[in-house]
Amino acid sequence: MRLRTPLALLGAAVLVLAGPPLLSTGSDSETGTQIPGLRFMVPNTPGGGYDITARTAAKNAEDAGLTHNIEVFNLPGAGGTVGLSRLVSEHGNGKLAMSMGLGVVGAARSNHAPKTLADTTPIARLTEEQDVVVVAKDSPYRTIDELITAWKKDPGKVPVGGGSSPGGPDHLAPMLMAQAAGISPKSVNYIPFDGGGELLASILGNKVGFGVSGVGEYLDQIKAGELRVLAVTGPERVDDLEDAPTLKESGYDVDFTNWRGIVAPPGLSEAERNKLTRLVEELHASPEWKKSLEQNGWDDAFLAGEEFGAFLDAQDKRVVSVLKELGL
């Protein structure tokens, strides 16, 4: 027994020492989803759509065991182009990603940004959602028709706030709405905010006549009675907001939706790009993410890799086309 015990301990020690290389050889470094030190940049202020999307995705990925300790940080400015510039400068950094959407496409155009989304590595489009037309609970406008009537009478005296720069979704939606109502888009008094979080305070304080933002950003405030939703901008009513009509059914020919996704710095290795894409693909398939889609009123619009890159290029062309059509 005295001889067998040291031998047994030696054998166990050899197994322990041999174990980690055997367990780590192969697969996780090449085919897994763990990205130690992953950072997720939000290019606008806390509380906006990009922020909610990023923090939800990070939590869901961690809860699903796909990766751990994702750091989410905000770098606001110029409609998202400050964050975009930072992302592009992080050439080859496979541990950085950025939450973004149509607003960054528009801001890059309207701000004549030196860097565009064509300079990034496209990872995936995640969601699509309608915008909501909202006012404070004590606003004099109780229906979309009451708002439009006042807006048509004197567009400059009914300012509209949005959480994106000109060319972004919260700008394009009310411009299309104005056009459909017979209001010249050039006469619209649009006030841009750096994300839905900043916009919210101005709506609640009646500093703008009405606001336009994503469903998911203001769903809680609408349910709590702090905001009154007058209409939604998409093709059909939203499940959690059944009383809110679409603009089209209210007589205004507008069908508009926003989307959000993830991009990474340029210059990633194929392995780094594949790992980020795989992480997002498995997040998309997780029950945690599916539940978040439902809770936030987001539509699943998943599109990954090169297909997402082609979509970004088409969206850039669309923004330019719509701005020209509106005379802006």
Side-chain angles (χ1 to χ4, degrees):
M1 288 294 294
R2 290 179 181 176
L3 289 173
R4 290 176 61 192
T5 299
L7 287 173
L9 291 172
L10 178 62
V14 170
L15 285 173
V16 168
L17 291 171
L22 289 173
L23 290 171
S24 62
T25 298
S27 128
D28 191 63
S29 62
E30 296 175 1
T31 62
T33 59
Q34 297 290 331
I35 306 178
L38 178 61
R39 305 180 77 216
F40 210 164
M41 184 197 305
V42 177
N44 63 9
T45 54
Y50 299 151
D51 187 68
I52 295 170
T53 302
R55 294 182 191 281
T56 300
K59 185 177 188 306
N60 288 171
E62 292 179 358
D63 289 347
L66 300 176
T67 194
H68 300 285
N69 300 321
I70 302 173
E71 179 191 349
V72 180
F73 68 101
N74 298 78
L75 186 62
T81 57
V82 170
L84 175 62
S85 179
R86 163 72 179 276
L87 186 82
V88 174
S89 74
E90 295 274 348
H91 189 278
N93 185 352
K95 295 181 183 292
L96 180 66
M98 185 177 86
S99 173
M100 48 70 69
L102 180 56
V104 178
V105 179
R109 278 291 176 183
S110 62
N111 293 332
H112 305 289
K115 301 299 180 183
T116 71
L117 289 163
D119 298 308
T120 69
T121 299
I123 301 299
R125 183 183 68 188
L126 291 175
T127 64
E128 185 177 46
E129 70 171 338
Q130 303 194 41
D131 269 0
V132 286
V133 180
V134 293
V135 294
K137 63 181 179 181
D138 56 351
S139 166
Y141 311 122
R142 305 196 66 82
T143 68
I144 189 66
D145 285 329
E146 289 179 0
L147 171 62
I148 295 292
T149 298
W151 201 21
K152 289 179 74 171
K153 186 175 180 180
D154 194 342
K157 289 188 177 179
V158 185
V160 50
S164 58
S165 296
D170 299 349
H171 171 252
L172 293 178
M175 293 302 167
L176 292 169
M177 192 170 125
Q179 184 184 52
I183 301 169
S184 168
K186 288 185 177 180
S187 70
V188 172
N189 182 8
Y190 177 75
I191 302 175
F193 294 84
D194 209 349
E198 283 191 357
L199 169 63
L200 180 60
S202 288
I203 300 173
L204 293 175
N206 289 307
K207 293 180 180 178
V208 293
F210 66 102
V212 176
S213 194
V215 172
E217 293 180 69
Y218 292 159
L219 197 55
D220 289 345
Q221 288 81 7
I222 292 168
K223 288 181 176 180
E226 296 175 6
L227 292 177
R228 181 186 305 138
V229 57
L230 303 184
V232 296
T233 65
E236 54 190 37
R237 296 193 181 202
V238 176
D239 287 344
D240 286 329
L241 304 172
E242 292 88 351
D243 292 336
T246 67
L247 287 171
K248 186 162 281 191
E249 71 180 277
S250 301
Y252 308 101
D253 190 14
V254 176
D255 181 350
F256 181 87
T257 55
N258 185 20
W259 56 268
R260 295 190 181 93
I262 298 171
V263 293
L268 301 192
S269 68
E270 183 177 359
E272 288 171 326
R273 184 181 68 249
N274 288 345
K275 179 160 273 198
L276 272 170
T277 303
R278 190 162 49 247
L279 170 62
V280 178
E281 285 174 340
E282 296 203 19
L283 168 68
H284 170 251
S286 71
E288 289 84 356
W289 179 250
K290 294 181 190 301
K291 184 177 180 181
S292 291
L293 289 175
E294 183 178 349
Q295 288 177 336
N296 287 287
W298 296 336
D299 293 325
D300 187 0
F302 192 76
L303 192 67
E306 292 181 3
E307 290 182 323
F308 179 45
F311 172 79
L312 288 178
D313 183 58
Q315 287 288 288
D316 183 56
K317 292 182 172 70
R318 179 192 176 209
V319 165
V320 173
S321 174
V322 172
L323 289 175
K324 284 182 178 178
E325 179 188 339
L326 295 172
L328 301 171

